[in-house]
Amino acid sequence: LKVLDVVVAEQDDQLRDVDAAAGEVVALAADGFIVQTGAGQLLVRRVQSPGSQAMSGRDYVNGYRLQAGERLGLTDAEL
């Protein structure tokens, strides 16, 4: 998954104390999804899957049924 557009996620009370690993989806948002990093959280607004056209983060959430708790960048064998 190629990430094309991100912004620093706004910290609200719900996300401030999340205990998540880097690369883990911590929340779904109206315009994308929020991913934990080693130094905070990013709102992913535009992505491109291999062999696909670029799409909004929200379209990715809807099309790939992304859920909070999933970890980006790992295959099933690596989990």
Side-chain angles (χ1 to χ4, degrees):
L1 181 67
K2 184 186 284 187
V3 176
L4 303 174
D5 182 28
V6 297
V7 294
V8 174
E10 299 207 13
Q11 295 292 309
D12 63 17
D13 291 335
Q14 180 182 4
L15 296 176
R16 187 173 294 123
D17 297 324
V18 170
D19 182 26
E24 187 173 332
V25 176
V26 295
L28 306 179
D31 53 350
F33 54 96
I34 300 173
V35 177
Q36 183 69 41
T37 71
Q41 296 163 342
L42 296 175
L43 171 61
V44 179
R45 300 190 304 185
R46 192 151 185 82
V47 298
Q48 184 175 9
S49 293
S52 297
Q53 292 185 351
M55 66 183 82
S56 72
R58 192 62 183 160
D59 286 345
Y60 184 79
V61 167
N62 292 335
Y64 288 88
R65 306 283 189 230
L66 190 65
Q67 297 181 18
E70 289 187 46
R71 194 144 175 221
L72 299 179
L74 297 178
T75 64
D76 290 339
E78 295 173 308
L79 292 177

